[in-house]
Amino acid sequence: MTQSGKEASAAKGLYIETYGCQMNVYDSERMRDLLAPLGYAPVQSPSDADLVILNTCHIREKATEKVYSEVGRLRAHKQQRQAAGRDMTIVVAGCVAQAQGEEIMARATEVDFAVGPQSYHRLPELIARTARERGETLVAEFTAEEKFDALPARVADGVCAFVSVQEGCDKFCTFCVVPYTRGAEYSRPVEEVLAEARALAGQGVREITLIGQNVNAYHGAANGRSARLAELIDRVARIEGIARIRYTTSHPLEMDDELIALHGAEPKLMPFLHLPVQSGSDRVLKAMNRKHTAAHYIDVVQKLRAARPDLALSSDFIVGFPGERDADFEETLALVRAVGFAQAYSFKYSRRPGTPAASLGAQVSAAQMNERLRMLQDALIGQQRAFNAAQVGQTLPVLVAQRGRKPGQVHGRSPYLQAVHFEGPESLIGAVVAVRIAASTQNSLAGEWTPVRGAAA
Ligand code: 5AD
Ligand code: SF4
């Protein structure tokens, strides 16, 4: 109010670049909501931004280098803005900030401060302080609990929304940085999650994805006891307006019987599950400290499919973990054939300093890793194409989420999370409609919708 000058009431530009996981997508949305009351509104280009936040991911190598090159790219924008008498605050957030905030502050002088994932609620205060003392690092001095308490109410952005229910990980897979960057497992209380979900439903959200690094390890407080994920999903399913529920990412050891049974009992729970296995070799799984075998994973999948026969699966795989031999890799391919995935992510092992696997000998050569990745991806892409092709000729319920890329088209998701586009009016956004699938590619389905008296159904 006491500000002078013509820009006193003008909105300030906010540009957030998000890397990595869904947790980061969620955190970016929350940062946007948090900064809105301070006058920050999203802009399309960093050159229009008073504040740029790089929300980083540290899961595989080159993450820090990516931050430096991105900051380098921002330097030109910042200088241009400064020449025009307007500054740009650059913030590095996310897991790279948590793990390497001090190094980034020392090396990248354009960065105003680094803020780890547990401290986002302090962004307004840090931004205000930046004007006075530049160069501050803030890493996890705060607990996840305090973070959630301090965040403002959710603002919906579309008909699908993530709701974070669990953060952190106590599993300590030997290749993974998450237990170090995101900290110990923490579950939000049931009522807090329900309040957020209800608020989103009230703003037109139809699909909620409950997210957490280890979401099915959820143990949220509920009236003095602890509720597991199945109970939470059951409660979310009763919220008026919510048509679809998903959850990610799960650990095979935490797939309890109630959760498996719910897949057969709760129609709002979508028949698609991301369940990382990482490897099909028990030797490698042991060295990874996954605490499950390939047979256990297949057993969980069989139980899930007994409960919900059309359940489609997705997974994460790592090839070239230290000590992985050809025979181990063959077992991974055998598991892929045995399970059949609708889609999957596969990565070359990336050595992360500070993790137990980083000091293992017998690192697999780059050539072997490349060859294994190629073979695995060939198999997985073949399965993905076949899964999509199998929908052709069928009629699927599609939640329409947004306008399509082409005029007159809309875009939505099938129950199996496939992207579906078809000709239809924008008024369908938010509705679940019956779409006949006419064609498929590796990554999407094209369909036809008939606008009369439910004829397509
Ligand atoms: N190297 C390669 N992939 C990794 N992931 C996690 N850590 C590493 C690593 N060091 C993969 C796992 C995990 C996904 C999110 O990222 O497959 O499930
Ligand atoms: Fe990382 Fe393993 Fe935890 Fe997943 S379960 S976040 S791979 S340590």
Side-chain angles (χ1 to χ4, degrees), residues 99-382:
Q100 273 165 349
E102 281 179 24
E103 187 194 318
I104 290 170
M105 293 307 303
R107 260 184 67 184
T109 50
E110 295 83 2
V111 176
D112 292 286
F113 59 88
V115 54
Q118 260 91 64
S119 308
Y120 294 152
H121 54 294
R122 296 197 56 203
L123 266 173
E125 167 201 336
L126 287 167
I127 287 165
R129 211 190 281 176
T130 301
R132 289 179 277 119
E133 46 178 275
R134 303 236 155 197
E136 172 152 338
T137 299
L138 188 83
V139 293
E141 295 162 18
F142 287 81
T143 62
E145 189 175 359
E146 286 171 282
K147 162 182 164 172
F148 284 115
D149 282 349
L151 286 172
R154 261 320 267 292
V155 180
D157 182 18
V159 299
C160 301
F162 291 148
V163 174
S164 174
V165 304
Q166 181 277 331
E167 284 211 0
C169 182
D170 296 341
K171 295 283 185 292
F172 290 93
C173 299
T174 55
F175 52 80
C176 186
V177 291
V178 167
Y180 311 97
T181 55
R182 289 275 176 169
E185 276 174 17
Y186 164 74
S187 295
R188 293 175 78 187
V190 168
E191 282 307 327
E192 195 179 306
V193 173
L194 292 177
E196 189 169 327
R198 281 188 207 109
L200 289 166
Q203 295 172 68
V205 165
R206 307 296 320 280
E207 174 177 301
I208 285 191
T209 303
L210 304 175
I211 61 169
Q213 258 96 27
N214 232 304
V215 72
N216 60 344
Y218 180 81
H219 272 103
N223 296 328
R225 50 181 192 90
S226 161
R228 300 282 338 237
L229 187 63
E231 182 178 342
L232 182 69
I233 293 171
D234 182 59
R235 299 283 303 275
V236 174
R238 287 187 237 157
I239 297 174
E240 204 185 315
I242 298 302
R244 292 182 162 191
I245 302 169
R246 305 178 186 275
Y247 61 95
T248 195
T249 290
S250 295
H251 192 288
L253 275 188
E254 304 275 4
M255 271 335 282
D256 61 38
D257 291 344
E258 289 72 29
L259 189 53
I260 291 173
L262 199 65
H263 276 276
E266 177 50 68
K268 290 185 181 178
L269 184 54
M270 289 294 100
F272 176 87
L273 182 64
H274 181 61
L275 191 63
V277 63
Q278 314 297 355
S279 169
S281 154
D282 289 347
R283 251 190 81 244
V284 173
L285 288 169
K286 192 160 198 305
M288 287 176 163
N289 192 33
R290 290 288 294 177
K291 301 195 181 87
H292 64 80
T293 59
H296 180 267
Y297 184 87
I298 290 172
D299 184 48
V300 169
V301 168
Q302 281 169 348
K303 283 187 186 153
L304 280 160
R305 284 186 169 148
R308 179 82 203 222
D310 66 334
L311 186 93
L313 283 151
S314 157
S315 192
D316 290 339
F317 293 89
I318 296 177
V319 298
F321 185 81
E324 183 189 68
R325 301 182 298 218
D326 282 340
D328 298 306
F329 178 65
E330 285 300 327
E331 288 178 353
T332 298
L333 291 179
L335 182 136
V336 169
R337 285 191 293 269
V339 172
F341 291 95
Q343 67 145 87
Y345 304 90
S346 39
F347 311 101
K348 288 188 270 188
Y349 169 70
S350 169
R351 192 177 160 275
R352 312 305 292 127
T355 60
S359 50
L360 292 176
Q363 302 276 332
V364 175
S365 76
Q368 263 177 322
M369 270 205 228
N370 288 336
E371 176 61 5
R372 288 177 192 168
L373 186 69
R374 192 191 58 74
M375 287 171 72
L376 178 59
Q377 289 188 340
D378 279 354
L380 292 168
I381 289 170

Side-chain angles (χ1 to χ4, degrees), residues 11-80:
K12 288 171 274 187
L14 170 66
Y15 186 82
I16 307 185
E17 201 151 301
T18 309
Y19 304 90
C21 62
Q22 280 143 334
M23 196 62 83
N24 273 10
V25 174
Y26 177 83
D27 281 341
S28 290
E29 282 182 20
R30 302 302 312 258
M31 286 192 260
R32 186 201 61 197
D33 296 348
L34 184 67
L35 295 168
L38 305 184
Y40 286 96
V43 291
Q44 296 302 316
S45 157
S47 56
D48 297 326
D50 298 272
L51 172 62
V52 175
I53 300 177
L54 302 176
N55 192 3
T56 60
C57 171
H58 198 234
I59 204 121
R60 281 169 289 276
E61 63 200 328
K62 305 215 172 78
T64 321
E65 285 68 28
K66 214 190 269 175
V67 173
Y68 291 128
S69 73
E70 199 51 40
V71 170
R73 219 167 54 86
L74 291 172
R75 186 177 302 134
H77 293 300
K78 182 164 177 148
Q79 284 167 352
Q80 269 173 6

